[in-house]
Amino acid sequence: MDFSMIKRLQLPKLDLRNIEWPRFDFSGIQWPKMPKLRIGDAVARLPIIQGGMGVGISLSGLASAVANEGGIGVIAANSIGMLDPEYYAKNKDANSIILRREIRKAQEKTTGLIGVNIMVAVDDYPDLVRVAIEEKIDMVFLGAGLPIKGIPVEDLRAAGVKVIPIVSSARAAALIFKSWSKKYKDIPDAVVVEGPKAGGHLGFKADQIDDPDFALELILPEVVAEIKAFEDLYHRTIPVIAAGGIYTGADIYKVFKLGASGVQMGTRFVVTHECDANIRFKEAYIACREEDIEIIKSPVGMPGRAIRNSFLKDIAAGKKMPFKCAWRCLKSCDIKNARYCISLVLDNARQGILDKGLFFAGSNAYRVDKIVSVNELLQELITQYQYAEEKGAGKLKDEYEKVLEKLVALKEEYFIDIKEGLGSLVDEYERGIEKGTVLFREEYLKTMDKINSLKAEYQNAVDKANLLKAELVEMFEQYSLFDKLQIEGTCREPCR
Ligand SMILES: Cc1cc2nc3c(=O)[nH]c(=O)nc-3n(C[C@H](O)[C@H](O)[C@H](O)COP(=O)(O)O)c2cc1C
């Protein structure tokens, strides 16, 4: 055995001195706040829209409370006239009268942003749009149908009213934007994309509701991509607003990562002190369990999500609830075969009439356990959003610091192995201590293997640290945090 080769073997060298590691100081960083929501020249301090909830659930009380807190409050125009005791005498005029009254009341209570939600499918939809224009509402949300024909675009623009369609697919969004572009040489100002977890009537077929291909997480980026072409064409920013099943600030963070610029939430706002419904409506949310929330077939021909109660059980058992049709409010309503009037039972629910009411609710309604103020709800969402945001950066920071610690440990192990492992073996050899040659060689090679694997492990850790570093830098750049982020110089060795 030629032992001289052992002397010639080169120890693997790691040049630890040339690795530079930025040391991040995370203290004092202002973590990103929820971004504002800009819809044309209307700017909401919070990117949260309270969804319009028909038949008296969201009136001036709730809408103004949300607007006062920096969000966008929405009055639902749908069958709002049922609040008028003379609804059956005045029929559709009652809707316009009460809508006007509620807009004015809201405008008295707030200088914040207020919208009106109008269903395209209702017969008096042009009248309700007209009221919104006359009262110079900030924006109209147009759902339950495609807002394409007969839109008074010029009048809306002259009054400064923004138009925001509500869609459930990229196809519908494309159709609306294309038709507007062709017909009106203009496009809507934003778009709400409502997924199948929402409360109320749903823009999906019954079999699509639980189909993962129609989940909000999938349709949202599709709508964002569809709208992009129109943004480029018109040199305008068209925010896409996500709705349906958004419950926490972390949910808001998640949809923002998928391209949303705002959220529309309904269920959470029902269970606030300011919500205009009777307290029994809110208590029905608190009392319901997950299995109580079901999909119903509404007489208007669309599926809807509601809380199962004695009324729905009676209907499912084939009972009818006789009603007088005030005026054919919904073109699509199958009055002859309808077992109940949708507006009437929604109005009963608003008044807290449990056994004759239809309680629309989102898929997450069972999670609600108490009534809070709008302010408390929004503060909770803001904190959760920031926490979700922080968790992203915080997780990276932890990982980065762990890798740096590992580097230090590996470095120490590496040098100890060289010095105490290989070094002492060579010393032993050179001092001529008797040892079986085979044993000696095996030990030497084992030590070399260990050193090599340590080297590889070290290099891996270095690569990982570099990746994490790049990710952190990108994250900070993305949120323009660099000015706030202190980099305390760099160290020549891994720093703790
Ligand atoms: C009680 C209730 C009534 C609703 N009424 C309407 C309505 O009249 N028009 C409409 O476009 N959306 C309506 N919605 C849908 C909401 O505006 C909102 O988009 C939806 O609730 C979002 O889903 P979430 O409840 O999971 O937050 C209603 C929702 C609820 C819970």
Side-chain angles (χ1 to χ4, degrees):
M1 172 64 72
D2 176 11
F3 285 108
S4 62
M5 52 91 61
I6 292 172
K7 279 187 157 177
R8 276 185 269 117
L9 281 175
Q10 289 289 309
L11 285 178
K13 271 199 183 119
L14 276 181
D15 194 354
L16 299 168
R17 287 161 310 165
N18 289 336
I19 303 171
E20 296 202 343
W21 301 97
R23 198 193 299 147
F24 295 114
D25 176 10
F26 291 88
S27 63
I29 288 182
Q30 295 273 317
W31 293 102
K33 292 212 171 87
M34 273 188 187
K36 291 179 181 162
L37 173 58
R38 287 171 200 279
I39 303 176
D41 58 7
V43 184
R45 187 163 49 76
L46 292 178
I48 299 175
I49 298 166
Q50 161 256 307
M53 292 178 280
V55 201
I57 308 293
S58 69
L59 301 169
S60 56
L62 179 58
S64 61
V66 176
N68 276 332
E69 295 292 338
I72 299 175
V74 181
I75 299 166
N78 178 29
S79 291
I80 197 170
M82 293 198 100
L83 269 83
D84 191 326
E86 288 169 37
Y87 176 67
Y88 285 91
K90 293 182 187 159
N91 66 54
K92 76 170 157 185
D93 287 346
N95 282 342
S96 296
I97 294 165
I98 303 292
L99 177 61
R100 198 183 301 277
R101 182 191 83 186
E102 288 301 313
I103 293 174
R104 288 184 183 177
K105 264 166 94 175
Q107 285 168 342
E108 266 168 31
K109 288 184 186 166
T110 185
T111 53
L113 294 171
I114 295 285
V116 168
N117 175 299
I118 303 170
M119 285 171 71
V120 176
V122 294
D123 198 46
D124 60 340
Y125 141 75
D127 304 342
L128 299 171
V129 172
R130 181 62 43 207
V131 172
I133 292 172
E134 285 166 7
E135 297 303 319
K136 294 198 164 31
I137 198 80
D138 295 303
M139 51 197 81
V140 285
F141 294 83
L142 304 178
L146 299 177
I148 292 176
K149 279 193 231 150
I151 312 282
V153 176
E154 269 181 34
D155 294 349
L156 286 158
R157 292 286 173 235
V161 181
K162 313 282 181 294
V163 183
I164 306 167
I166 303 172
V167 300
S168 297
S169 69
R171 225 180 103 235
L175 199 60
I176 295 168
F177 276 70
K178 260 188 214 141
S179 310
W180 267 61
S181 189
K182 208 169 146 204
K183 237 173 146 67
Y184 307 116
K185 311 277 174 280
D186 199 345
I187 50 172
D189 302 278
V191 62
V192 173
V193 49
E194 192 181 71
K197 289 188 173 174
H201 285 121
L202 303 171
F204 297 89
K205 292 189 185 128
D207 60 349
Q208 294 172 336
I209 291 170
D210 293 321
D211 184 338
D213 285 348
F214 294 89
L216 177 64
E217 292 73 17
L218 282 192
I219 56 175
L220 167 63
E222 288 171 6
V223 172
V224 172
E226 200 64 60
I227 296 305
K228 177 83 180 62
F230 294 95
E231 288 187 306
D232 294 345
L233 191 64
Y234 280 83
H235 307 292
R236 278 165 62 185
T237 304
I238 306 296
V240 176
I241 295 143
I246 294 165
Y247 193 84
T248 65
D251 295 340
I252 299 177
Y253 179 79
K254 219 162 66 188
V255 293
F256 273 44
K257 289 275 161 226
L258 294 172
S261 304
V263 291
Q264 174 171 290
M265 299 169 71
T267 296
R268 295 291 322 252
F269 284 106
V270 167
V271 201
T272 58
H273 298 299
E274 293 92 335
C275 170
D276 297 281
N278 184 284
I279 191 161
R280 285 192 292 272
F281 192 104
K282 305 171 193 180
E283 284 166 354
Y285 271 45
I286 296 170
C288 80
R289 297 161 305 166
E290 190 173 6
E291 56 270 30
D292 299 330
I293 299 168
E294 64 176 27
I295 298 297
I296 58 146
K297 193 169 175 284
S298 156
V300 306
M302 291 165 98
R305 183 175 276 110
I307 301 173
R308 188 186 307 124
N309 59 357
S310 57
F311 165 72
L312 278 179
K313 280 185 202 154
D314 286 349
I315 295 298
K319 285 195 187 159
K320 278 188 168 192
M321 196 171 114
F323 62 89
K324 180 179 149 206
C325 180
W327 55 286
R328 200 195 167 98
C329 65
L330 271 171
K331 288 173 225 160
S332 59
C333 185
D334 182 6
I335 299 170
K336 252 193 187 163
N337 298 310
R339 282 192 246 153
Y340 56 91
C341 163
I342 184 83
S343 296
L344 183 68
V345 296
L346 289 173
D347 190 50
N348 285 344
R350 171 188 69 82
Q351 298 176 61
I353 305 172
L354 298 178
D355 58 343
K356 292 193 177 92
L358 175 60
F359 293 72
F360 270 156
S363 59
N364 279 320
Y366 71 95
R367 292 168 69 180
V368 180
D369 59 4
K370 61 175 187 291
I371 304 174
V372 295
S373 68
V374 166
N375 174 277
E376 283 167 317
L377 170 60
L378 292 173
Q379 286 310 316
E380 182 189 319
L381 295 173
I382 291 167
T383 309
Q384 289 167 337
Y385 178 92
Q386 284 175 350
Y387 178 69
E389 200 44 283
E390 193 169 341
K391 226 162 72 182
K395 216 171 118 212
L396 274 179
K397 168 189 165 245
D398 287 351
E399 256 183 77
Y400 182 75
E401 284 174 351
K402 255 190 233 142
V403 173
L404 291 193
E405 262 174 38
K406 190 169 179 194
L407 281 174
V408 174
L410 280 171
K411 186 186 138 195
E412 278 160 13
E413 211 185 321
Y414 180 80
F415 282 124
I416 288 167
D417 264 64
I418 290 173
K419 238 170 87 194
E420 289 175 9
L422 185 60
S424 65
L425 277 176
V426 173
D427 285 353
E428 255 182 81
Y429 168 72
E430 283 182 342
R431 279 203 304 270
I433 292 167
E434 293 260 322
K435 234 182 185 209
T437 52
V438 175
L439 194 70
F440 178 81
R441 186 163 178 273
E442 270 174 7
E443 262 189 63
Y444 180 89
L445 292 176
K446 245 199 277 171
T447 312
M448 283 296 289
D449 276 353
K450 183 153 186 221
I451 288 169
N452 277 330
S453 75
L454 273 173
K455 185 185 168 194
E457 213 182 319
Y458 188 91
Q459 198 52 55
N460 274 344
V462 167
D463 290 347
K464 183 148 188 225
N466 272 326
L467 268 178
L468 289 167
K469 188 177 97 180
E471 253 183 90
L472 277 168
V473 168
E474 197 190 309
M475 179 171 275
F476 287 119
E477 269 172 355
Q478 198 181 342
Y479 293 112
S480 321
L481 274 175
F482 246 123
D483 49 335
K484 292 177 198 120
L485 175 74
Q486 296 164 28
I487 301 182
E488 288 192 338
T490 54
C491 17
R492 301 210 137 254
E493 289 183 20
C495 14
R496 286 179 201 266

